Amino acid sequence: MTARSRGSAWLATGVLLLVATSGCSSGTVTHQALNRAFGQTFARMYALQQQELGHVLGRPADSAATCSRSGSAATSGSGAWLCTVHFPAPDGHLDPVSFDVDVAPIGCYTATGPPAVVGPLQLRTPSGGTVTNPLFAFDGCFDPT
């Protein structure tokens, strides 16, 4: 077997595994599971953003989140959600900020924050470089049960 055919075999196996596991979740996305996962991911992304900006993290982001289905009375399921967290303002108080969150049935999501609060897509570092703002948009996955 050549290196090229081994690579093709591994690729085919990876695609098959992805297809086989993409429908494995037997659970339903719930607001409790999303609250927990989103809050923890937000807190980590906030800490990363502050590190990139050269700030000493005096007060960690609160990891509590409140998520609800956008435009729906349902409290579970995939689709559009709105997750609110408490964003530390420069003067130390906490401001509620909401992220648009698109949740897949398998428990993976993409969150987009409001640029007016979380900043632009690109941030200027203290050394004059630019980095992608980790709070502008981020992905995460969780067990939807």
Side-chain angles (χ1 to χ4, degrees):
M1 183 178 270
T2 67
R4 183 180 187 127
S5 62
R6 278 193 303 266
S8 296
W10 279 109
L11 178 61
T13 302
V15 169
L16 180 60
L17 182 59
L18 179 63
V19 170
T21 60
S22 65
C24 283
S25 174
S26 60
T28 299
V29 174
T30 65
H31 68 94
Q32 294 97 336
L34 183 57
N35 287 350
R36 186 173 42 259
F38 184 85
Q40 292 170 353
T41 301
F42 168 78
R44 289 183 188 115
M45 294 296 101
Y46 175 78
L48 177 59
Q49 180 198 53
Q50 295 305 298
Q51 178 185 356
E52 295 283 9
L53 293 172
H55 298 160
V56 175
L57 193 60
R59 178 180 186 162
D62 184 357
S63 64
T66 304
C67 300
S68 60
R69 291 288 304 271
S70 295
S72 173
T75 59
S76 63
S78 60
W81 287 72
L82 191 66
C83 291
T84 302
V85 292
H86 292 92
F87 192 85
D91 67 3
H93 78 277
L94 297 175
D95 279 332
V97 61
S98 294
F99 285 74
D100 292 320
V101 182
D102 186 34
V103 183
I106 60 171
C108 291
Y109 62 88
T110 298
T112 307
V117 178
V118 301
L121 175 60
Q122 296 293 315
L123 298 173
R124 176 84 56 200
T125 65
S127 63
T130 57
V131 295
T132 301
N133 181 353
L135 286 179
F136 189 82
F138 56 89
D139 300 318
C141 291
F142 62 98
D143 181 0
T145 56

